Amino acid sequence: MSAAKLQDSPAWQQLQKLCNDWGATTIAKLFAAGPERGSKMTAQACGIYLDYSKNWLREETLVALFDLARERGLETRRAAMFTGEHINSTEDRAVLHTALRAPASAKICDQGANVMPEVHAVLQRMMAFCDKVHQGEWLGATGKPLRQIVNIGIGGSYLGPEMAYHALRSQRIAGVREHFVANVDGAALAAVLADLDPAQTLFIVASKTFTTLETMTNAHAARRWLVAALGEQAVERHFVAVSTNSEAVAAFGMNPEHSFGFWDWVGGRYSMDSAIGLATMLAIGSAGFAEMLQGFHAMDEHFLHAELEQNLPVLLGLISVWYNNFWGAQSQAILPYAHDLARFPAYMQQLQMESNGKRVDLSGTPLAVDSGPIIWGEPGTDGQHSFYQLLHQGTRLVPCDFLGFLAPMSAFADQHDLLMANLFAQSEALAFGRSAEELRSLGVTEAQIPHRVSPGNRPSNLLLVDALTPFSLGALVALYEHSVFTQGVIWGIDSFDQWGVELGKVLAARVESDLKGTTQHAHDSSTQALIERYRASRS
Ligand code: G6Q
């Protein structure tokens, strides 16, 4: 079904009507009318408990949202993705990140060929390599163990491994330290290399295409740094590659045997469980990585088989559509109450905004409704002392996803009660606020009351997870991957291409040669003046 017809669909019209008729209903009134709401509006799978009761949802809203999903063919599209149909139609590619975490016995085909033997062959090679590094069989050129790992990559070849490295801090192999260089600003590489001993440093050049300007620039600079210290012959021991472009890897001077491949049916932002996860495997070991894949796979199975009404990714995706398209929410906050998930919001930004930041549907017709929201966030409790003010008392609607973990993530376990108390209190305060009457009863003056009232009725989901482990991290990421997919199906867009990102890559190369003076492309007067100003300062 095309997005042009989206607003004519009966479920869409029903949702519009429910929104128009919402009146003065508040979250507080919904709870008063249905005391079991807090236990009823929940679902769980793979160790993740979703409480979606503190939302602007009635039973009939949910019925209409599930009707919308069915009308838009979610179940058919989901089957098409899992079975390798080329649903990334603008690039004519299958979308098979789910194969990366499927068991070896599965049969998943792209154009008739079972991809599983290759997937598991690469996994085995990655595991063998990581075991060698950990056991000191793979040593640097001077015979020292390699304990400092530098991942050079950007976007989808960076955000996942970096997020996972921090998230799985408590699972790290003793002595292994990882660093991530993404930005083409030489300061990023300089800051990392400043503290490293070349003799103990292993570089992973992670790039699907092996042509990305930032990554190749940083990789060549790192290579020069290593060669200056240890000589040309050291490159072979200190550099490995992760890429789909084996010719470019060989041209860089790396032994193809030290290269780990993946496939064009893995999108960059869906690649943290492919060979792009080599840094993750080096950090937590092959058993930890296998456990993470099991978490991804468990959520894939849940998404594929659970009833839509109990399906976590479907629920999250549809709730997001409800606020985005019917209530005009422009953004959505992801608020993990876990210091180790500090990079999770950044990872979510790419996953969601690159996937669903689209303006036309699959047929190329401009969308008549908004697509993916702006995603942002920081870990709690840090954010409470900065932007939560706007969440509680600002004029904008910002639906929030809170994430919390039952098990403490550190030896300072007594602090966990405080962390979780803050999490529960924030979602409660957003939903129920603080009224003028309550403030009066506390003796607050009339002049101050308008300033101190928190109106409440601010919606949120709360995801409560048993513990932050490789398994639960995999399940959480897959949960959001499939929520993104669900939303993309509702809008009828291609969630797996990224032509906007490609444009940036092309334009930067054009301007760079103008900065050097080797070319003189035509630019607008603003860009031209900026280029000239920069050139004057450099000369
Ligand atoms: C992800 C995007 C993008 C990509 C980077 C790096 O889905 O395509 O973020 O991952 O541009 O690309 P390479 O891995 O090819 O260097």
Side-chain angles (χ1 to χ4, degrees):
M1 191 185 282
S2 81
K5 294 183 189 141
L6 177 56
Q7 289 157 296
D8 299 335
S9 95
W12 189 276
Q13 293 194 346
Q14 170 66 1
L15 285 162
Q16 193 58 65
K17 181 174 178 314
L18 292 174
C19 176
N20 296 343
D21 295 348
W22 191 257
T25 309
T26 61
I27 295 174
K29 286 182 187 166
L30 290 170
F31 270 86
E36 307 97 57
R37 187 178 171 90
S39 55
K40 234 175 125 193
M41 283 191 153
T42 63
Q44 51 189 319
C46 316
I48 301 174
Y49 173 86
L50 166 64
D51 176 351
Y52 58 97
S53 62
K54 295 190 187 86
N55 275 299
W56 301 349
L57 294 171
R58 293 200 187 95
E59 275 306 320
E60 65 257 41
T61 329
L62 286 163
V63 168
L65 284 168
F66 294 122
D67 284 349
L68 179 67
R70 292 194 170 95
E71 277 178 22
R72 299 296 292 171
L74 176 62
E75 287 143 314
T76 315
R77 295 290 291 172
R78 181 181 61 185
M81 174 170 74
F82 275 81
T83 52
E85 278 184 40
H86 281 205
I87 63 165
N88 176 0
S89 51
T90 74
E91 296 183 304
D92 189 17
R93 287 176 181 169
V95 175
L96 279 179
H97 45 276
T98 50
L100 298 168
R101 52 258 195 161
S105 55
K107 186 174 178 207
I108 301 172
C109 294
D110 178 29
Q111 296 183 305
N114 185 6
V115 301
M116 293 313 298
E118 274 192 69
V119 167
H120 278 264
V122 173
L123 263 177
Q124 294 305 324
R125 289 186 56 232
M126 288 166 66
M127 289 180 174
F129 173 74
C130 288
D131 290 349
K132 277 191 201 163
V133 172
H134 292 145
Q135 288 156 17
E137 283 172 42
W138 181 289
L139 297 168
T142 64
K144 288 192 180 170
L146 299 171
R147 287 288 174 266
Q148 303 290 338
I149 317 289
V150 181
N151 188 87
I152 300 178
I154 198 163
S157 300
Y158 151 64
L159 286 160
E162 189 200 38
M163 181 275 288
Y165 178 67
H166 292 290
L168 302 175
R169 178 187 50 80
S170 60
Q171 319 277 327
R172 285 185 207 152
I173 305 271
V176 174
R177 288 281 171 277
E178 294 196 344
H179 316 268
F180 295 85
V181 178
N183 202 323
V184 76
D185 184 346
L189 183 64
V192 164
L193 296 186
D195 296 328
L196 296 183
D197 169 12
Q200 297 182 63
T201 304
L202 175 69
F203 292 96
I204 302 171
V205 184
S207 174
K208 180 173 170 179
T209 54
F210 229 71
T211 56
T212 304
L213 172 91
E214 291 92 332
T215 301
M216 297 327 295
T217 305
N218 280 321
H220 282 286
R223 192 184 194 283
R224 288 194 296 275
W225 175 83
L226 183 91
V227 168
L230 302 177
E232 189 70 34
Q233 84 295 342
V235 172
E236 162 141 346
R237 304 301 294 174
H238 291 259
F239 273 84
V240 294
V242 177
S243 185
T244 55
N245 186 348
S246 44
E247 281 171 26
V249 170
F252 186 90
M254 275 185 253
N255 184 337
E257 282 176 26
H258 306 162
S259 170
F260 303 88
F262 58 114
W263 307 273
D264 69 2
W265 42 259
V266 186
R269 56 195 173 276
Y270 296 87
S271 68
M272 63 173 278
D273 44 4
S274 72
I276 288 292
L278 186 65
T280 310
M281 196 189 273
L282 280 164
I284 62 169
S286 24
F289 196 82
E291 188 193 321
M292 186 180 81
L293 295 185
Q294 283 163 14
F296 271 103
H297 181 63
M299 186 55 76
D300 292 344
E301 289 287 294
H302 168 76
F303 177 54
L304 189 56
H305 299 297
E307 286 294 312
L308 297 193
E309 285 73 5
Q310 295 303 321
N311 199 306
L312 265 59
V314 174
L315 279 160
L316 279 193
L318 293 178
I319 292 170
S320 203
V321 166
W322 173 234
Y323 292 118
N324 182 353
N325 292 122
F326 297 92
W327 294 96
Q330 293 290 310
S331 83
Q332 192 176 319
I334 308 268
L335 307 167
Y337 275 65
H339 175 75
D340 294 337
L341 281 185
R343 295 295 286 153
F344 194 75
Y347 180 77
M348 283 293 124
Q349 262 177 348
Q350 181 189 29
L351 176 66
Q352 303 207 37
M353 292 167 75
E354 203 167 86
S355 296
N356 284 341
K358 305 292 161 63
R359 54 176 282 283
V360 296
D361 70 11
L362 286 162
S363 70
T365 309
L367 294 176
V369 302
D370 271 328
S371 59
I374 298 156
I375 302 293
W376 59 284
E378 285 285 330
T381 58
D382 303 10
Q384 288 175 210
H385 299 265
S386 64
F387 58 80
Y388 276 44
Q389 166 61 33
L390 182 149
L391 299 182
H392 286 287
Q393 289 190 309
T395 54
R396 292 175 191 280
L397 167 63
V398 185
C400 300
D401 278 3
F402 288 103
L403 267 67
F405 296 84
L406 296 175
M409 274 82 71
S410 79
F412 303 102
D414 52 334
Q415 295 185 206
H416 199 59
D417 288 355
L418 265 177
L419 178 70
M420 297 305 280
N422 272 281
L423 163 60
F424 298 145
Q426 286 298 325
S427 77
E428 189 174 32
L430 283 173
F432 300 102
R434 188 174 240 192
S435 66
E437 294 71 51
E438 197 183 337
L439 289 165
R440 271 188 203 105
S441 74
L442 295 170
V444 174
T445 64
E446 284 303 313
Q448 282 217 332
I449 283 194
H451 301 282
R452 292 180 59 172
V453 162
S454 285
N457 198 31
R458 305 200 166 202
S460 65
N461 292 310
L462 198 145
L463 293 155
L464 201 52
V465 187
D466 294 343
L468 182 49
T469 61
F471 183 93
S472 68
L473 184 69
L476 257 181
V477 172
L479 164 57
Y480 277 100
E481 285 176 351
H482 298 318
S483 160
V484 164
F485 175 79
T486 299
Q487 294 170 64
V489 170
I490 301 294
W491 298 314
I493 60 179
D494 188 336
S495 298
F496 301 100
D497 62 10
Q498 57 283 315
W499 296 105
V501 175
E502 311 298 334
L503 172 69
K505 292 186 183 184
V506 173
L507 292 187
R510 225 166 76 104
V511 175
E512 193 211 1
S513 56
D514 290 354
L515 289 182
K516 289 204 169 86
T518 52
T519 54
Q520 280 188 318
H521 291 102
H523 295 282
D524 62 86
S525 59
S526 158
T527 310
Q528 191 57 41
L530 292 167
I531 290 172
E532 280 163 20
R533 199 174 172 83
Y534 179 79
R535 287 196 49 163
S537 85
R538 295 291 288 165
S539 64

